[in-house]
Amino acid sequence: MLGVRCLLRSVRFCSSAPFPRHKPSAKLSVRDALGAQNTSGERIKVQGWIRSVRSQKEVLFLHVNDGSSLESLQIVADSSLDSRELTFGSSVEIQGQLVKSPSKRQNVELKAEKIKIIGNCDAKAFPIKYKERHPLEYLRQYPHFRCRTNVLGSILRIRSEATAAIHSFFKDSGFVHIHTPIITSNDSEGAGELFQLEPSGKLKVPEENFFNVPAFLTVSGQLHLEVMSGAFTQVFTFGPTFRAENSQSRRHLAEFYMVEAEISFVNSLQDLMQVIEELFKATAMMVLSNCPEDVELCHKFIAPGQKDRLEHMLKNNFLIISYTEAVEILKQASQNFTFTPEWGVNLQTEHEKYLVKHCGNIPVFIINYPLAIKPFYMRDNEDGPQHTVAAVDLLVPGVGELFGGGLREERYHFLEERLARYLDLRRFGSVPHGGFGMGFERYLQCILGVDNIKDVIPFPRFPHSCLL
Amino acid sequence: MLGVRCLLRSVRFCSSAPFPRHKPSAKLSVRDALGAQNTSGERIKVQGWIRSVRSQKEVLFLHVNDGSSLESLQIVADSSLDSRELTFGSSVEIQGQLVKSPSKRQNVELKAEKIKIIGNCDAKAFPIKYKERHPLEYLRQYPHFRCRTNVLGSILRIRSEATAAIHSFFKDSGFVHIHTPIITSNDSEGAGELFQLEPSGKLKVPEENFFNVPAFLTVSGQLHLEVMSGAFTQVFTFGPTFRAENSQSRRHLAEFYMVEAEISFVNSLQDLMQVIEELFKATAMMVLSNCPEDVELCHKFIAPGQKDRLEHMLKNNFLIISYTEAVEILKQASQNFTFTPEWGVNLQTEHEKYLVKHCGNIPVFIINYPLAIKPFYMRDNEDGPQHTVAAVDLLVPGVGELFGGGLREERYHFLEERLARYLDLRRFGSVPHGGFGMGFERYLQCILGVDNIKDVIPFPRFPHSCLL
């Protein structure tokens, strides 16, 4: 087979030389070149990195990728254009004619007229090897090169699409975007260990604070969104948050991204859950429709079976059970848990896993948690005898807790008994409101099936590691 | 006049009572209510905060705002619905009929059938006063309330629109969005003083680093974008950056947002300048078209004349002059400068101002700076006798430097002589590339004419101040 194709190619090449004079070639991205519908031999220019080289007697085949798509563009050249510098990883600029490909593997290919080496790549020294499928753990050592592999390229394009989809979702729903601050004098809700900061070199004299008060990296934009929800009825933020926790788990980072929203005048968790479910599904649909090949690569090579699991999540309504029901389900489980399920105690990872499985691997909302295990600002359900608050978490297959949120206590006298700091916000035109936060990396893990959170963020930061 | 309107109103009210039974009212945002085209008396529900109260003998007029637009919705109610709790700043839910307004001041108004007070507001204690136009300096003391004023409401809606416009611009141009890290072990380009961080409580034992190495808050995402530009030909980031500089100027913040982009395979500053000019103009056009009233408010009350100045910038091509030409212009100026202009020295603010004015108050690109005053990674122009690099700054009226960028030195042997850290990125398929950064707050200052940078960011952080 290969022999016949090569013969055909050499014949075609013979007949096309010498090349006619032509106007400057239009520069196209690989994505646009691949998507060209009616290729009648336009002269184009493509720039990118060589992903494969196949040098034959009369014909040279290259695959060039420029990051605009997973698929590379096939370059077909006369072997006279071959050079020792055309190696895996080197950067090139290629001019030629975009033609219909005789092969079924691609629609079009570029018949090269000129190949210019832009930057060499010494394949021996380059840590990414030709034709090798490197384990994700190996690639993590090279944060500056792993984006040149198929899998990280796909994940980063998906991350970019998901980011755009989240912004669109909120904009189309009438939310105002707020840049909540990264540096804050709040130590927030005690949501974990904080990073404190000072101008470099002044760390040893912390009594002289740059901001006059101790300053920390934010753990959540919630308080600042709540401020804004006193003027705009729908607000959201999407930025980095931080935890100084000494965790090496596959679900935690020291720096990660959160999508957070607050909505004023909401009276029920139902309203919040609707937004959460819509956000989850709309974002996934947008990603699936805008980069299907990238998603397919993840589902095929990283998480076999994930395609069906995601479809299952998208086509079904998410379930809702109360915390009290959840504890009952756990108590009746045949499984032996390390932590005995008990009302009034936080759910453990093993419990979350069981509940999601019990619910048929559909995301499940757990609502109405005990007052004692949720932050002071959660709205009192005034129920009894078991005292609960209007808090909600969304548990998803493979990841566990993806969203956390709830109605906020807007009633001044309820809060008065609890905390002073929060009071000022409730004195002037207080409104019932609620909100939620979603871990963006966990969302990507959830839809893609990527096991380790360090592989869905461009530059992961975690204890003992801050590469670049 | 007023008497006649009131009479008409009271007549209309008499005829409409008692109200017929009806299905639950549709909840509308104030923006959607105001934009209703054919109002045939639909029953709707609106929620928001009272911006004005005018209580007359038989009629009560309210203006309700929910942050969805600058304009408030006029509520007309029978005085029997009046209450002492209907004060400026209190939150309400109003049901009624949306009707055409007899006044020319608005298209529609809401004929209230039911007014529910949601949250009281003690006007005496509330720092924002009814009908008062508070100076921006006064409002800065109340970061949790200033969003409830017209002017900050408008600025924050514009900021949200500009954010969306920037994301759209890059997405539509085929750029991949990258979350560059906030925490970094790089001390970058020496772009100013850094914030260093450690887990809270551990500041006194900096020898035990959380990340094993000293960690800082990023001053620029450039290096990380350059990493990505080795795999994707067009990348951008839009996130917070930090300077621990002890500056109280109206142009500096300790925490501010930057839009940064890197483009691979660019060979000339012209290509970069084209993207910069398009980004500037496309974003402004989008903001002008999506929130014209908000922009008008800024241009009217904060910066008179700014409307014309902005139009002037948008309809003209930006100018380009070389650093060498700029110095010549400054030397020939009749103006006496505090700092004598001289080739090889950085331009001062007074110089930037003069140049922009000299160029007719059109944004002006300054290109080809002396090698000695730009960072090591700028591309050598190999010219002489005055040795320059392919760096570019954009100076704009009122703000000064808005963008900074340039071609990056991709040639291994040029860099080899300069710095080791950067080398690894140039060894494997190095490509000519360039990029730029834009201060987002300064951009907002530039298009809106807002004098102080602290007024275009929701929660400003600067020396001695970290409110909330």
Side-chain angles (χ1 to χ4, degrees), chain A residues 20 22 30 43 72 102-103 108 118 163 178 201 230 234 268 311 321 346 351 366 368 399 404 411 426 435:
Chain A
H22 52 262
V30 166
R43 291 214 148 61
S72 299
S103 160
V108 296
I118 306 285
T163 300
I178 301 290
Q234 299 185 107
S268 81
E311 263 174 24
I321 56 176
N346 274 313
H351 303 149
I366 314 287
N368 299 332
V399 168
R411 294 162 296 183
R426 300 293 183 274

Side-chain angles (χ1 to χ4, degrees), chain B residues 288-457:
Chain B
L288 284 169
S289 114
N290 286 356
C291 33
E293 303 88 3
D294 292 314
V295 175
E296 201 192 334
L297 180 93
C298 292
H299 287 176
K300 207 165 156 188
F301 293 114
I302 301 180
Q306 182 66 14
K307 186 172 188 281
D308 296 336
R309 289 193 289 272
L310 179 59
E311 264 173 22
H312 184 63
M313 289 190 252
L314 293 179
K315 79 178 178 206
N316 285 289
N317 290 327
F318 294 0
L319 299 176
I320 306 171
I321 56 177
S322 72
Y323 169 86
T324 304
E325 286 167 328
V327 171
E328 280 312 305
I329 291 167
L330 293 169
K331 279 184 171 169
Q332 284 161 27
S334 54
Q335 188 176 324
N336 281 321
F337 296 111
T338 312
F339 297 88
T340 311
E342 201 181 333
W343 203 97
V345 179
N346 273 312
L347 300 178
Q348 300 292 324
T349 306
E350 56 177 349
H351 303 148
E352 293 175 355
K353 274 189 185 167
Y354 182 87
L355 289 168
V356 169
K357 209 174 160 189
H358 178 86
C359 293
N361 287 309
I362 289 169
V364 54
F365 291 107
I366 314 286
I367 61 171
N368 299 333
Y369 283 79
L371 177 133
I373 61 170
K374 285 286 175 186
F376 73 92
Y377 50 73
M378 289 295 188
R379 194 174 200 273
D380 197 329
N381 280 331
E382 295 179 89
D383 52 358
Q386 292 171 319
H387 202 162
T388 66
V389 290
V392 58
D393 282 353
L394 179 69
L395 309 181
V396 298
V399 167
E401 185 191 332
L402 177 63
F403 284 81
L407 303 184
R408 319 305 187 188
E409 186 58 79
E410 87 280 8
R411 294 162 295 184
Y412 196 79
H413 62 281
F414 272 83
L415 281 173
E416 207 167 15
E417 298 163 17
R418 299 198 211 161
L419 212 78
R421 175 189 303 258
Y422 229 62
L423 287 178
D424 218 21
L425 283 178
R426 301 291 183 276
R427 284 178 70 192
F428 307 109
S430 182
V431 299
H433 61 293
F436 59 81
M438 173 186 84
F440 181 54
E441 282 76 20
R442 288 193 186 176
Y443 179 73
L444 293 175
Q445 285 187 277
C446 172
I447 64 169
L448 300 178
V450 174
D451 194 53
N452 197 311
I453 197 168
K454 301 176 184 73
D455 299 323
V456 294
I457 188 164

Side-chain angles (χ1 to χ4, degrees), chain A residues 289-303:
Chain A
S289 116
N290 286 356
C291 31
E293 302 88 2
D294 292 315
V295 175
E296 200 192 333
L297 179 92
C298 291
H299 287 178
K300 206 164 156 188
F301 292 114
I302 301 180

Side-chain angles (χ1 to χ4, degrees), chain A residues 381-396:
Chain A
N381 280 331
E382 295 178 89
D383 52 357
Q386 291 171 321
H387 202 162
T388 68
V389 289
V392 57
D393 283 353
L394 179 68
L395 309 181
V396 298

Side-chain angles (χ1 to χ4, degrees), chain B residues 145-274:
Chain B
F145 291 132
R146 66 176 185 166
C147 49
R148 294 225 214 156
T149 62
N150 275 341
V151 59
L152 260 294
S154 285
I155 289 175
L156 291 174
R157 271 189 300 275
I158 290 167
R159 189 180 167 103
S160 173
E161 276 298 333
T163 300
I166 287 165
H167 277 278
S168 297
F169 173 83
F170 282 113
K171 186 169 162 51
D172 295 347
S173 311
F175 284 69
V176 175
H177 175 272
I178 301 290
H179 281 123
T180 53
I182 308 304
I183 300 174
T184 173
S185 52
N186 270 291
D187 54 7
S188 196
E189 43 177 301
E193 299 252 6
L194 299 168
F195 286 107
Q196 193 170 347
L197 55 114
E198 270 302 319
S200 169
K202 293 207 177 157
L203 284 174
K204 284 161 194 166
V205 279
E207 54 275 11
E208 296 170 25
N209 289 308
F210 181 89
F211 295 109
N212 284 11
V213 290
F216 308 95
L217 293 188
T218 183
V219 296
S220 159
Q222 183 193 323
L223 173 67
H224 301 94
L225 280 189
E226 283 198 68
V227 165
M228 292 298 163
S229 77
F232 309 101
T233 46
Q234 299 184 108
V235 287
F236 83 105
T237 190
F238 181 6
T241 46
F242 305 87
R243 297 284 186 282
E245 273 163 25
N246 196 0
S247 163
Q248 293 285 348
S249 106
R250 64 171 191 88
R251 300 198 308 159
H252 293 90
L253 287 167
E255 171 178 329
F256 61 100
Y257 279 75
M258 271 226 278
V259 177
E260 295 177 276
E262 287 288 323
I263 307 166
S264 290
F265 299 100
V266 280
N267 290 305
S268 82
L269 284 180
Q270 196 62 49
D271 295 339
L272 280 189
M273 289 189 283
Q274 192 181 329

Side-chain angles (χ1 to χ4, degrees), chain A residues 1-12 56 59 61 102:
Chain A
M1 267 302 276
L2 212 66
V4 175
R5 281 195 66 214
C6 291
L7 187 66
L8 280 170
R9 287 190 189 283
S10 58
V11 171
R12 285 196 290 141
Q56 296 182 346
V59 196
F61 291 96

Side-chain angles (χ1 to χ4, degrees), chain A residues 91 120 148 159-160 171 177 179 182-183 185 194 196 198 200 210 212 255 428-430 461 464 466, chain B residues 91 120 148 159-161 177 179 182-183 185 194 196 198 200 210 212 255 428-430 461 464 466:
Chain A
S91 54
N120 294 321
R148 294 223 213 159
R159 188 179 168 104
S160 173
K171 187 169 162 51
H177 175 271
H179 282 122
I182 308 305
I183 300 175
S185 52
L194 299 168
Q196 192 170 348
E198 270 302 319
S200 169
F210 181 88
N212 286 10
E255 172 179 328
F428 308 109
S430 182
R461 272 81 179 94
H464 313 303
C466 185
Chain B
S91 53
N120 294 320
R148 294 225 214 156
R159 189 180 167 103
S160 173
E161 276 298 333
H177 175 272
H179 281 123
I182 308 304
I183 300 174
S185 52
L194 299 168
Q196 193 170 347
E198 270 302 319
S200 169
F210 181 89
N212 284 11
E255 171 178 329
F428 307 109
S430 182
R461 271 83 179 93
H464 314 303
C466 185

